[in-house]
Structures are given as C-alpha cells and as structure tokens.
Amino acid sequence: MNDFGARNVDVVVVGAGQAGLSAAYHLRRAGLVPGRDFVVLDHAPRPGGAWQFRWPSLTYGKVHGMHALPGMELTGADGDRPSSEVIGEYFAAYEERFGLGVRRPVGVRAVREGDGGRLAVETSDGVWSARALVNATGTWDRPFWPRYPGQETFRGRQLHTAGYPGPEPFAGQRVVVVGGGASGTQHLMEIAEVAAATTWVTRRPPVFREGPFDEEAGRAAVALVEERVRRGLPPRSVVSVTGLPLNDAIRAARENGVLDRLPMFDRITPRGVAWDDGRTVEADVILWATGFRAAVDHLSPLRLREPGGGIRLEGTRAARDERVHLVGYGPSASTIGANRAGRAAVREIVALLRRGAADGESGRAADGESSPGSESSRAPDGESSRAADGESGRATSSGAADSLSGRRVPAPVVG
C-alpha cells in the first residue's frame, strides 16, 4: 500500500468473464503472482461472467461456439442444463484450478491518472494503483434501449434481452420483438410457442447465411469489425457482419410465419406500435432485443475515445494510452477472440513491465526481486512459468497438460 492508501500491483484486470480469465491465466503463466503482482476485480456476485445472467431456456446445447478457456477444457457438460449453470460452474472451477483469487463483488467506478505514471483504479473496495490495466468488462451491463416517439405512453410491459426471463411469462400475450440478431430470433421462436400473437420488427432486413461458417469466413467477419475499431468508431458485433445461420429451426420458423419480418415502426402508442402508413399492431409487451454497448464509462477520465466515439486500438492496446488494454472489445468479443486477446494483451504488458523495471520504476531491483516475466519469476506455488507464447495449454477428455507445472491432472467434469 502506498502513502495515499492505494494498494500497489503491477496489473489490474477488470472483469472475470472469458476475456478477463484468459488474461489472468496468461499473466500467471508469465510469472506474475495473483494477489501480489496482479488482481482480478469482478462486479458480479459469483463466477460465470455475463453467462450467469442468461435466461434459463438458453441451455448449453443451444450455445453457439463456446470456446474453452486456455488451459482447461469444459468436458462432460449436459446440453439440457441452462448455460448459466454449466458455464458458471466451469468458470468457478477454472478460477480455483489456477488460483486466480478473483475479488467479488467489486465495482470499478473510475480509472484515472495516478502518481508516478501509475493508474488509479477507484473501486467499491478502495483504490488500486497499477502500472497497467486489462479492461474486460464486456457489454452486458450496457443494454441498448432505442428511443421512439410515444414510448413513455405504452401501457404494457417493456423489457430488454438483459432481463428476458424465458418464454413462460409471455403465455397468452401479444408480443412485439424488436431486433434482427441472434437473441431476437431465439426469443421470438420461443415466445411464439406460448404467446397469443408475435410480431417481429427490425431496422434492416435480416440476412440469413447459408452453408458452414468456416475459418476463412470468420476471419473476414472479424476483419470488418476490427477495421471500425482501428478507425476509432464504436465496435459492431461480429454477428452484425456475419448474418444469421440458416439452421433447421430457423427454416421451420420462416416457413410457419414466425420470422415474417416487418420494418421498424415509427412510433409507440398506449396500446401498441404504429407506422406512418396507417398500419398498427396492438401489444401487451415490447421486447427490445437491440443489443448492447461496450461498458467502458469507467475509463472516461483517461480520455481514450476518438472523435468517432470509439476507443481506437492497436491490437488490444488503447492507442492513446499504452498502459490500457481492452479485451473482449470489438473484434475480440467472442469466446475464441477473447482467449487470443488475453494472450496478446499480456505479451505487451509483460514487455511494458520489463521496460519499466529496466528504467527503475518498479523499485524491485534494490530488493533483489526479479522482474515480471523473467525466467527467475515463479508462480505462487513454486511452479516454473512460461512466457505467454500462444500455447493453448488446453485439456483433453483424458487429462490436461497443466501449462504451469507440466503435471498431468484430470480434466474437471462439469455437468
């Protein structure tokens, strides 16, 4: 702790979802000690990232493209269980396996310029002073609610995907679903089975994608999102450039009229929605499946935003501040992208810390301590560390090669 009451660490990781845990794993592999050299702060009440807040009807078997965290596979999961439970248990086991010591619930209120070239991370649990910061706060905390004339006059219920409880509460009701993404179509297909009537509205005609989504298509989609981030524009979701996969469930919903889309309405009335051409639809519920925005307001004191409204990145590093890395942001806002971003961020942070140590900023040389990421650094339990060199360290169903110690350990079974 310094003279001003702030606790000193080399790195603060904000968020313990996929991206934050990936970054923490790679920090530990690089030789930094959890709780001493870095700390992971998470505002959520329990492990699981944003997955813990998903609706119960989103079972693990319905999850598209859940990629394992580095160093430990999720094996034996029951596809019929809610994804919130399966992934929550997996994240909890992961935190325990690697001794990450996540602090929760801790809300980060602001990140400001601190003393001596450090960052001051102001939280609900006091202030941390750090030489670098990994921001892995995702988007779940910032649901996007569009505004339309008359919205405040609607006598029914309005809710967002962030508060979607599953289809049962909509039984016998007339529901308008707004949004053309994956969540919107999933909500609509579920609700249509129990509702009196459903109406689907989107700003643009939805694009359905035929055929497999291969690696080349994935790279092209990520490149489009990455280009916006490089230009300092707010990132778009990857699905916004990939389109919706045309699977059997989607085909059936299109054939039976559930996915008959209407253009966006022009205003909201006390009894429903209306278009300027005179068309109206009465509704009991308006469900806004309109996406999320990056939860980065706590970074505002650092003035990282560009004139275009986004934070320009060079890889994962904020172009305006080399101490700040954003993972799970823009092109890395997917489970596999978050894993890679965590590794890339740590590689640059370790280089930054080494430069600082060489310049005498860390003050450790006088104490005979090694710098983070050096060959003499050790994990908390004496295991030898390796550089964050891009190895996956993933487990298999027959056992995991523990990337920290080289031991063979049983892969945890979740489910």
Side-chain angles (χ1 to χ4, degrees):
M1 185 173 290
N2 63 26
D3 294 338
F4 301 97
R7 287 162 285 188
N8 288 341
V9 290
D10 286 321
V11 187
V12 169
V13 179
V14 184
Q18 186 100 12
L21 293 182
S22 171
Y25 168 87
H26 286 291
L27 284 168
R28 193 175 187 273
R29 284 190 70 198
L32 281 80
V33 179
R36 187 194 74 184
D37 301 321
F38 74 92
V39 64
V40 184
L41 308 177
D42 186 30
H43 80 96
R46 55 191 177 274
W51 290 101
Q52 65 192 275
F53 306 114
R54 295 297 203 272
W55 50 99
S57 56
L58 182 62
T59 58
Y60 183 67
K62 295 178 182 177
V63 170
H64 298 294
M66 169 63 193
H67 196 77
L69 286 161
M72 191 176 99
E73 282 281 7
L74 195 169
T75 58
D78 182 352
D80 293 329
R81 291 184 66 203
S83 59
S84 59
E85 296 179 4
V86 172
I87 298 174
E89 291 172 6
Y90 170 53
F91 280 19
Y94 190 87
E95 291 178 17
E96 183 178 0
R97 161 79 76 83
F98 296 107
L100 300 180
V102 178
R103 291 173 176 256
R104 60 170 61 89
V106 177
V108 174
R109 295 164 177 165
V111 182
R112 306 180 188 278
E113 190 64 45
D115 297 316
R118 286 176 166 265
L119 296 166
V121 184
E122 300 174 1
T123 82
S124 59
D125 188 35
V127 180
W128 296 82
S129 174
R131 298 167 64 196
L133 179 128
V134 178
N135 192 79
T137 47
T139 63
W140 188 260
D141 294 328
R142 283 201 63 201
F144 175 63
W145 291 75
R147 296 296 174 221
Y148 280 85
Q151 194 163 2
E152 71 284 354
T153 70
F154 183 59
R155 295 173 186 164
R157 179 186 180 194
Q158 297 186 61
L159 72 159
H160 190 275
T161 288
Y164 177 66
E168 290 81 9
F170 304 99
Q173 295 186 316
R174 299 163 299 177
V175 183
V176 174
V177 177
V178 183
S183 294
T185 54
Q186 289 172 10
H187 297 340
L188 189 65
M189 290 188 291
E190 287 187 342
I191 292 170
E193 296 182 4
V194 299
T198 58
T199 303
W200 186 31
V201 296
T202 68
R203 283 192 305 149
R204 292 181 294 271
V207 176
F208 295 97
R209 185 185 72 246
E210 288 272 13
F213 189 66
D214 57 20
E215 187 174 344
E216 183 177 349
R219 282 197 299 267
V222 168
L224 290 174
V225 178
E226 192 171 30
E227 175 59 24
R228 284 183 60 86
V229 172
R230 277 200 299 263
R231 291 160 54 198
L233 298 174
R236 295 173 62 188
S237 66
V238 174
V239 74
S240 69
V241 296
T242 62
L244 296 165
L246 193 55
N247 55 32
D248 291 342
I250 293 285
R251 289 190 182 91
R254 294 181 75 185
E255 290 172 1
N256 62 27
V258 171
L259 292 182
D260 284 346
R261 169 258 179 192
L262 293 177
M264 198 64 204
F265 47 74
D266 296 296
R267 61 189 179 279
I268 299 174
T269 70
R271 300 178 61 182
V273 297
W275 289 258
D276 287 344
D277 63 6
R279 178 171 34 185
T280 63
V281 169
E282 293 190 354
D284 303 300
V285 179
I286 301 175
L287 173 54
W288 299 92
T290 44
F292 299 80
R293 300 294 182 264
V296 292
D297 288 349
H298 55 287
L299 301 179
S300 294
L302 297 177
R303 300 174 183 256
L304 302 178
R305 290 189 186 274
E306 301 292 332
I311 298 175
R312 184 164 63 88
L313 299 184
E314 297 174 357
T316 62
R317 175 170 36 87
R320 291 175 179 257
D321 195 326
E322 68 173 351
R323 300 167 298 177
V324 179
H325 288 254
L326 279 72
V327 296
Y329 177 88
S332 65
S334 65
T335 55
I336 187 170
N339 285 354
R340 292 170 176 169
R343 182 178 65 224
V346 167
R347 186 182 295 118
E348 289 204 26
I349 287 172
V350 167
L352 175 70
L353 298 179
R354 284 173 173 166
R355 291 199 303 273
D359 293 339
E361 291 179 9
S362 71
R364 288 183 176 171
D367 299 327
E369 296 183 16
S370 59
S371 62
S374 68
E375 290 184 2
S376 58
S377 295
R378 289 294 182 266
D381 52 6
E383 297 169 351
S384 61
S385 62
R386 300 174 186 173
D389 56 4
E391 296 177 19
S392 69
R394 274 211 253 153
T396 66
S397 58
S398 59
D402 189 319
S403 60
L404 293 167
S405 65
R407 295 192 304 265
R408 297 290 299 181
V409 296
V413 175
V414 180

